[in-house]
Amino acid sequence: MLELKHALSELEKVVDVAQLENFFQIYLWKKGLLNEEFKVMVDLPAEEKKEKWAKLSEIKTKLTQAYEAKEQYFKMGYINEQLEKDLIDISLDASKDIWAYSLLAEIRRDAEEICKSMGFIVEYGTEIVTKFENFESVNIPLTHPATEMHDTIYLNDKDASGENLILRTHTSSMQNYLIQKYWLPLKAVVPGRTYRFENMDASHDTMFYQMEWIVIDKNISIAHFKEMITKLLSALLHKNVETRMRPGYFPFVEPGFEIDVRYEIYNKETEKKELSNWMEILGAGMIHANVLKEAGVDSTQWSGFAFGIGISRLAAVRYWIKDIRYFTNGDLRFAKSFA
Ligand code: PHE
């Protein structure tokens, strides 16, 4: 009878896919050694047959398992090799229709179009930033407890002053960069990814999308901001919204606000229209004099406002999504339901 030990040692010697295929042909193929032995057994007396059959079955199981493990090993090696070569994940089955719109991209594009029509520059900036850009340029001293709230991912690479580079924790880190790049008057938006140390839940994720608005000109006041934010949110949410301003603290604005929205919804039970609850949707404020000073701007001449919206949160409101993690967890059932 075929010896398991011998077959396994033969398998051991296999070093590439071609040899593995050869091994399969010899041992496991339907006309291979194993099946030949099963065939021969058909004519044996019942007792003997039973015993040998069981033994041979066991050999077949073990050999097949060992073969499959090796096959898997080669496959992974091949995939990893390809991945290293061109960074494209070839393990995805391209024959299937797997694309779907990303709701986050859709709302970002919408926002960009609306902003362009309002005369804003759209700029993506960089996700890797200096600590100066992320903290000090927006009036957060490195010793400030707010840097802890914004704990993030530190890179090994360093900036010119020897500080480690980090992944930006908010798009406000682009304020100084935008002022330097375009100077004044300035109307610009930055959509993009931001990273934070967060306990993940339905409305918090460690990577999330933000969009920052910055307006600096002569005689800019809170009234300009209030008018703009209401129009903008109505356009973005496809509803007429009401906005409410509450005092809020952010080191880079003075005064600072939290903005809530509410809008009319249809209550299916009472069959009447009613107002939704107030929802906190963004942080905002008049740009702090220290931020302007740090960028070399004379704050007696210029003033402005800035605000930052979580795009994921906005999309959640617009599309009635309960958990923002759906946007990025790659679940095709979710993505396809909006295709
Ligand atoms: N950067 C703030 C945040 O991430 C939002 C904000 C932007 C607040 C601009 C005020 C002004 O929470």
Side-chain angles (χ1 to χ4, degrees):
M1 189 188 287
L2 191 147
E3 240 196 277
L4 179 63
K5 232 174 153 187
H6 175 72
L8 286 177
S9 76
E10 287 293 298
L11 183 62
E12 192 92 328
K13 291 182 203 150
V14 163
V15 294
D16 60 26
V17 180
Q19 287 181 12
L20 189 67
E21 177 60 27
N22 200 29
F23 177 88
F24 180 84
Q25 299 281 345
I26 295 172
Y27 289 95
L28 294 165
W29 189 48
K30 71 175 188 248
K31 288 186 182 156
L33 289 177
L34 263 168
N35 280 331
E36 286 304 317
E37 294 216 19
F38 275 116
K39 253 189 237 159
V40 174
M41 266 179 217
V42 176
D43 301 328
L44 289 177
E47 263 309 294
E48 202 181 332
K49 184 167 142 191
K50 200 175 156 199
E51 197 188 312
K52 285 199 165 171
W53 191 277
K55 238 184 187 167
L56 201 59
S57 293
E58 198 194 323
I59 292 177
K60 184 172 178 179
T61 311
K62 290 204 167 133
L63 201 57
T64 309
Q65 277 170 358
Y67 164 81
E68 281 173 355
K70 193 119 188 177
E71 189 189 31
Q72 193 61 25
Y73 172 77
F74 281 137
K75 253 195 206 157
M76 286 318 294
Y78 176 67
I79 288 173
N80 285 337
E81 196 182 298
Q82 294 299 316
L83 278 176
E84 260 171 34
K85 250 192 226 154
D86 58 16
L87 288 176
I88 293 173
D89 184 355
I90 55 152
S91 66
L92 267 181
D93 182 354
S95 67
K96 293 203 186 109
D97 174 20
I98 49 167
W99 69 276
Y101 283 114
S102 152
L103 298 184
L104 291 179
E106 197 160 278
I107 203 155
R108 174 181 55 75
R109 266 186 234 120
D110 253 23
E112 286 179 12
E113 286 314 307
I114 294 166
C115 291
K116 278 187 204 156
S117 76
M118 290 172 149
F120 278 76
I121 297 165
V122 178
E123 171 80 44
Y124 297 118
T126 57
E127 286 175 34
I128 297 175
V129 294
T130 61
K131 280 195 206 166
F132 169 78
E133 287 173 313
N134 201 75
F135 300 120
E136 289 167 300
S137 79
V138 282
N139 202 31
I140 310 175
L142 291 181
T143 51
H144 195 284
T147 56
E148 213 164 287
M149 182 169 87
H150 285 213
D151 213 355
T152 182
I153 296 164
Y154 283 70
L155 308 184
N156 281 333
D157 294 342
K158 297 196 174 12
D159 66 18
S161 64
E163 290 280 357
N164 288 75
L165 293 169
I166 60 171
L167 297 185
R168 65 183 177 196
T169 64
H170 55 172
T171 41
S172 301
S173 56
M174 294 292 114
Q175 289 188 6
N176 188 280
Y177 168 85
L178 287 169
I179 300 172
Q180 304 305 334
K181 183 162 177 186
Y182 296 104
W183 201 235
L184 308 172
L186 177 67
K187 275 164 78 183
V189 288
V190 187
R193 289 192 185 92
T194 49
Y195 303 82
R196 258 183 228 181
F197 174 74
E198 291 274 13
N199 286 322
M200 287 155 78
D201 64 24
S203 51
H204 296 88
D205 206 342
T206 49
M207 187 285 289
F208 57 104
Y209 288 76
Q210 272 196 337
M211 196 152 171
E212 184 92 4
W213 275 256
I214 175 166
V215 173
I216 303 177
D217 206 333
K218 303 253 158 101
N219 301 317
I220 293 287
S221 75
I222 296 176
H224 293 115
F225 164 69
K226 169 84 175 160
E227 173 69 11
M228 182 184 158
I229 195 71
T230 311
K231 288 223 168 93
L232 181 74
L233 288 174
S234 295
L236 278 174
L237 293 172
H238 296 174
K239 310 169 171 55
N240 275 326
V241 304
E242 245 183 276
T243 53
R244 170 173 86 171
M245 298 164 79
R246 286 179 290 110
Y249 174 68
F250 302 95
F252 33 94
V253 285
E254 177 60 30
F257 324 109
E258 310 256 8
I259 305 297
D260 302 334
V261 284
R262 69 173 177 188
Y263 41 81
E264 239 176 29
I265 46 174
Y266 180 71
N267 185 326
K268 275 194 204 138
E269 274 161 33
T270 61
E271 297 187 0
K272 283 202 183 100
K273 285 185 178 169
E274 60 184 45
L275 282 169
S276 70
N277 291 330
W278 284 109
M279 260 170 297
E280 181 190 324
I281 201 140
L282 62 97
M286 302 307 289
I287 300 172
H288 199 291
N290 287 352
V291 175
L292 295 174
K293 206 161 103 194
E294 193 63 68
V297 174
D298 179 355
S299 60
T300 62
Q301 297 290 315
W302 302 91
S303 56
F305 58 81
F307 56 98
I309 299 187
I311 300 188
S312 319
R313 197 169 289 184
L314 203 64
V317 174
R318 175 154 134 183
Y319 299 106
W320 305 93
I321 310 298
K322 290 212 173 82
D323 190 326
I324 62 165
R325 288 168 294 188
Y326 277 121
F327 291 127
T328 46
N329 72 0
D331 188 333
L332 283 178
R333 289 167 305 175
F334 174 77
K336 286 203 159 231
S337 60
F338 292 93

